[in-house]
Amino acid sequence: VLYYNYPFREFKYTTSAYMASDYQSEKLYGSFTADHASFSMMDLPLASDDTIMYSGLTLYHNHFLFEYTSYFKPVTTGLYSFTLVNVDDAVTVFLGNGAFNCCASSVRGNIPEGADSASILYAGYISSNTPASGKSGYVFLQQELYFPLRIIFVNYASVTQFKFDIIDPSGATLDDLSVYMVVPDSFANCGATTVTQTTAFTITSGTGNTPYTSTKLITQGNGVVYTE
């Protein structure tokens, strides 16, 4: 995870180009390792220069941006649901197309052009005391491929939180994302491929036949395949 400055109480996060790549012009403070894609800091004072220690870094908790990057490796082929819950203030999710160029060992300098229109999911703070929640995007994925994943999380001011859920083709929520979000040991034999679903499918909640509320439906994505 890369930790960037974010301008205190500014609304840059409402611009897709900023959330896609322009945020990289902000000051980079450091990095840390995370084994999950969620965050919560509640009941904090509102002052732009307030700091706390987080994962060994001095964090300006009232205004920051986190860039989570990894590869998502599904164990089952099918349609996956990616859902954002309790987002305060904003999150954009990129998977495959738009995340970063396949086979790149570093994200910086490897975000493709047009990424601002390639996100699978966005959720932003709605109003006072109303975090955005229940936003979902869908991607058909092939098992055993590595799909580039990038999550941009912004805190505009004060308290902050978000939760990122992944639901597999059977309707089960993946509880331990560290099993599925991995980085290959080597990129020496890496090559890109495109996964495309051409068969019609029905999106259900996994508990009967209740449709999801979808913000965007994606039926293909770029995966990374490794040869032995």
Side-chain angles (χ1 to χ4, degrees):
V1 181
L2 295 184
Y3 161 40
Y4 288 87
N5 178 63
Y6 182 81
F8 183 56
R9 306 196 82 172
E10 291 191 16
F11 289 97
K12 289 186 175 183
Y13 70 77
T14 61
T15 304
S16 60
Y18 180 85
M19 295 293 281
S21 59
D22 290 354
Y23 66 86
Q24 292 187 318
S25 64
E26 305 289 358
K27 182 177 180 179
L28 176 62
Y29 285 116
S31 64
F32 61 93
T33 301
D35 59 2
H36 57 279
S38 61
F39 189 84
S40 180
M41 285 187 178
M42 308 303 291
D43 301 321
L44 297 174
L46 180 60
S48 64
D49 57 354
D50 284 337
T51 63
I52 61 170
M53 292 301 296
Y54 181 79
S55 293
L57 296 172
T58 300
L59 177 67
Y60 292 87
H61 68 70
N62 272 311
H63 55 107
F64 63 84
L65 182 149
F66 286 167
E67 177 196 78
Y68 293 78
T69 54
S70 186
Y71 285 86
F72 180 70
K73 186 180 181 182
V75 297
T76 304
T77 295
L79 191 69
Y80 284 75
S81 166
F82 298 83
T83 301
L84 292 170
V85 181
N86 294 333
V87 175
D88 182 355
D89 288 286
V91 175
T92 300
V93 179
F94 300 88
L95 182 74
N97 301 334
F100 50 90
N101 292 327
C102 287
C103 306
S105 58
S106 172
V107 173
R108 291 180 68 81
N110 286 299
I111 297 175
E113 293 185 12
D116 56 327
S117 61
S119 65
I120 65 166
L121 187 56
Y122 169 82
Y125 198 69
I126 300 172
S127 63
S128 178
N129 299 317
T130 310
S133 192
K135 302 292 186 179
S136 297
Y138 304 88
V139 187
F140 185 89
L141 301 177
Q142 183 176 324
Q143 67 186 58
E144 299 305 313
L145 295 183
Y146 295 81
F147 291 85
L149 174 66
R150 181 165 57 102
I151 303 172
I152 308 304
F153 170 49
V154 165
N155 183 32
Y156 150 97
S158 190
V159 300
T160 184
Q161 63 178 325
F162 87 100
K163 187 172 183 291
F164 180 57
D165 288 334
I166 301 177
I167 300 173
D168 71 12
S170 72
T173 300
L174 305 182
D175 294 323
D176 185 4
L177 293 184
S178 65
V179 175
Y180 306 92
M181 296 171 65
V182 295
V183 177
D185 294 329
S186 172
F187 292 85
N189 297 311
C190 174
T193 187
T194 298
V195 177
T196 303
Q197 165 68 358
T198 57
T199 305
F201 49 79
T202 301
I203 301 171
T204 65
S205 66
T207 55
N209 198 34
T210 305
Y212 280 120
T213 299
S214 175
T215 55
K216 184 179 290 188
L217 175 62
I218 304 294
T219 58
Q220 65 178 21
N222 282 352
V224 182
V225 58
Y226 291 86
T227 57
E228 297 296 334

